[in-house]
C-alpha cells in the first residue's frame, strides 16, 4: 500500500519506474509466499485425511478384536462355569463318600474293639495261669497273641478317635492340671516298654507348672509322642520331656536320640495314614501324630516338629499350649 501511494506521488521518470518495479516485485513475492502456504495447506489436508482414514481402519480392527475378545471371554466363562458346576458336583460326591467311609470305619472299629478286647483278656488270663499251667512254647504263643491283639486295639482306638475328630465331636473339658502328676502317669504307663528297650525316661522342668486342659486328651498326646520316641530310640539312650514356660504359654519338648525324621518325610509327618521311611520296621496306623496335632489344636495350641540341628541326633516334637484363660 505504501509503494502504491508512493507510485502516485513520485513524479514520472525513473523514480516512478523504480517504485513500480519494487511494487511488482512485492506483489510477485507475496504471490509466491501465498502459493507455497496454499500448497502446504493442501498437502496437510491430504495428510490429515490419510491419517483419519488410517485411524478409522485401526479403530475398525480394534472394534473387531474387542468383539472377538468379548466372544472368547464369554465362551471361556461358560466353560469355566460348567467346569465349576462339575467340580462342585464331584466335591459333593467326595464329601458324601468321605462321610460314608468315616461312618463305615467307625462302625467296623466298634465291631472290632469288643472281640479284640475279649481276645486280649483271654490271652492275659491264659498267661496268668487261670486255665492251668502253660508250657514254654504255649507261653510264647500267648504273649504273641497278647501283643498283637493289644496293637490291634490301639489301632482301632486311633481310628475311632480320628473318626470322632473328623465328625466334629471332639470336645475339650478344661480343668486346672498340675503337669508333674500328668507326666508321672504317662511315664508309669510307658516305663515297661522303655525298660524292655533299655531306654531312660527323663522329665526336666525349671519350675512346677500348672496347665489348663483336658487331662485325658493331654495324656493321649504325650503317650503318643513318648511312645514314638521310645520305639525309635536305641538301647542305652534317653527320652527327654522338657517343660519350658514362655510368655505365650507352656512348651513341652519331647526329644529322642533315634535316627531322626527323613527330610523328605518331615513335611508329611502329621498327615493321616502317613508312614515315613524310618518307620518301616515299627507298628502303627499312621494316625497317631495326626490325632495328636488335632488334639493340641483343640486346646488352642499346636504340635510341631523342630528342625534338626547339626549337633543333635534324633527328633524333637514341641507341644505348645496356651496360657490359662487364653484359648
Amino acid at each position: 500500500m505504501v509503494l502504491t501511494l508512493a507510485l502516485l506521488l513520485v513524479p514520472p521518470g525513473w523514480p516512478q519506474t523504480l517504485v513500480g518495479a519494487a511494487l511488482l516485485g512485492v506483489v510477485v513475492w507475496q504471490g509466491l509466499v501465498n502459493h507455497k502456504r496454499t500448497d502446504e495447506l493442501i498437502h496437510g489436508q491430504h495428510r490429515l485425511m490419510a491419517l483419519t482414514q488410517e485411524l478409522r481402519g485401526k479403530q475398525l480392527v480394534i472394534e473387531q478384536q474387542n468383539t472377538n475378545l468379548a466372544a472368547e471371554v464369554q465362551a471361556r466363562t461358560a466353560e469355566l462355569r460348567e467346569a465349576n458346576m462339575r467340580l462342585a458336583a464331584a466335591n459333593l460326591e467326595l464329601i458324601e463318600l468321605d462321610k460314608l467311609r468315616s461312618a463305615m470305619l467307625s462302625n467296623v472299629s466298634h465291631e472290632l474293639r469288643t472281640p479284640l478286647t475279649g481276645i486280649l483278656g483271654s490271652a492275659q488270663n491264659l498267661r496268668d495261669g487261670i486255665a492251668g499251667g502253660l508250657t514254654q512254647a504255649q507261653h510264647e504263643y500267648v504273649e504273641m497273641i497278647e501283643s498283637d491283639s493289644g496293637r490291634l486295639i490301639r489301632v482301632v482306638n486311633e481310628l475311632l478317635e480320628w473318626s470322632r475328630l473328623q465328625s466334629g465331636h471332639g470336645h475339650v473339658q478344661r480343668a486346672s492340671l498340675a503337669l508333674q502328676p500328668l507326666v508321672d502317669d504317662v511315664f508309669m504307663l510307658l516305663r515297661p516298654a522303655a525298660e524292655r528297650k533299655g531306654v531312660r525316661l527323663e522329665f526336666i522342668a525349671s519350675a512346677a507348672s500348672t496347665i489348663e486342659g483336658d487331662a485325658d486328651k493331654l495324656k493321649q498326646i504325650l503317650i503318643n509322642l513318648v511312645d514314638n520316641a521310645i520305639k525309635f530310640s536305641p538301647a542305652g539312650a534317653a527320652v527327654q520331656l522338657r517343660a519350658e514356660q514362655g510368655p505365650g504359654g507352656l512348651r513341652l519338648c519331647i526329644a529322642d536320640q533315634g535316627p531322626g525324621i527323613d527330610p523328605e518325610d518331615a513335611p508329611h509327618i502329621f498327615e493321616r495314614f502317613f508312614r515315613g521311611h524310618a518307620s518301616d520296621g515299627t507298628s502303627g496306623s499312621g494316625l497317631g501324630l495326626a490325632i495328636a496335632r488335632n488334639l493340641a489344636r483343640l486346646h488352642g495350641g499346636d504340635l510341631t516338629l523342630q528342625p534338626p540341628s547339626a549337633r543333635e541326633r534324633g527328633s524333637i516334637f514341641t507341644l505348645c499350649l496356651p496360657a490359662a484363660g487364653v484359648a
Side-chain angles (χ1 to χ4, degrees):
M1 184 180 290
V2 173
L3 290 174
T4 302
L5 292 175
L7 182 62
L8 294 175
L9 297 176
V10 171
W14 66 268
Q16 191 178 43
T17 302
L18 183 60
V19 171
L23 179 60
L24 181 60
V26 169
V27 170
V28 171
W29 173 77
Q30 188 66 37
L32 291 174
V33 170
N34 289 339
H35 181 70
K36 183 178 180 182
R37 287 178 179 174
T38 303
D39 287 344
E40 290 176 353
L41 183 60
I42 292 172
H43 178 71
Q45 216 168 10
H46 284 301
R47 183 176 177 79
L48 181 60
M49 289 177 64
L51 289 173
T52 302
Q53 290 179 354
E54 184 179 353
L55 288 174
R56 187 177 293 113
K58 290 183 178 180
Q59 186 178 5
L60 291 174
V61 171
I62 292 173
E63 288 177 355
Q64 184 62 40
Q65 289 178 345
N66 286 338
T67 302
N68 295 339
L69 182 60
E72 183 73 16
V73 169
Q74 187 175 3
R76 298 288 179 173
T77 303
E79 291 177 4
L80 183 60
R81 189 181 298 112
E82 185 179 352
N84 284 338
M85 291 176 64
R86 290 197 302 268
L87 183 61
N91 193 34
L92 287 174
E93 185 177 355
L94 285 175
I95 291 173
E96 291 300 321
L97 287 174
D98 190 60
K99 287 181 180 178
L100 181 62
R101 181 183 57 81
S102 296
M104 184 182 69
L105 191 63
S106 178
N107 291 335
V108 170
S109 300
H110 275 294
E111 293 297 325
L112 285 174
R113 187 160 60 172
T114 301
L116 285 172
T117 304
I119 293 171
L120 178 61
S122 299
Q124 289 171 342
N125 290 337
L126 287 172
R127 182 199 61 193
D128 295 338
I130 292 177
L134 300 176
T135 66
Q136 180 63 31
Q138 289 171 338
H139 195 274
E140 290 176 359
Y141 279 117
V142 167
E143 284 185 345
M144 289 172 59
I145 293 171
E146 185 179 356
S147 174
D148 288 343
S149 58
R151 179 170 61 86
L152 286 173
I153 288 173
R154 287 194 297 272
V155 171
V156 167
N157 287 336
E158 287 181 348
L159 291 172
L160 286 171
E161 183 64 33
W162 179 259
S163 179
R164 280 194 294 270
L165 290 172
Q166 290 300 101
S167 62
H169 294 155
H171 301 290
V172 174
Q173 296 180 350
R174 297 183 181 277
S176 182
L177 305 168
L179 181 60
Q180 182 71 54
L182 192 70
V183 174
D184 289 343
D185 289 346
V186 172
F187 279 10
M188 183 177 64
L189 181 66
L190 296 176
R191 188 164 283 114
E195 289 175 350
R196 283 194 297 271
K197 286 204 69 175
V199 174
R200 302 187 311 278
L201 299 180
E202 300 176 354
F203 176 53
I204 303 172
S206 56
S209 300
T210 301
I211 55 177
E212 188 177 279
D214 189 310
D216 291 336
K217 289 181 171 54
L218 289 176
K219 279 183 185 178
Q220 188 174 353
I221 297 172
L222 292 178
I223 287 171
N224 181 279
L225 295 174
V226 176
D227 185 45
N228 281 347
I230 293 171
K231 287 179 182 177
F232 296 108
S233 292
V239 171
Q240 284 190 349
L241 196 161
R242 300 192 295 266
E244 304 169 357
Q245 195 72 43
L250 184 68
R251 285 164 44 93
L252 298 175
C253 299
I254 296 88
D256 63 55
Q257 297 174 349
I261 306 295
D262 193 298
E264 295 180 1
D265 296 336
H268 311 286
I269 199 69
F270 293 105
E271 295 177 5
R272 58 180 181 174
F273 304 117
F274 178 77
R275 302 282 294 155
H277 295 89
S279 61
D280 293 341
T282 60
S283 60
S285 64
L287 279 173
L289 289 175
I291 292 173
R293 170 173 272 188
N294 273 271
L295 292 176
R297 290 178 175 177
L298 275 178
H299 282 80
D302 202 0
L303 176 62
T304 57
L305 173 65
Q306 187 171 312
S309 170
R311 295 177 298 175
E312 294 180 324
R313 290 184 57 203
S315 306
I316 301 177
F317 286 87
T318 302
L319 171 63
C320 298
L321 296 172
V326 173

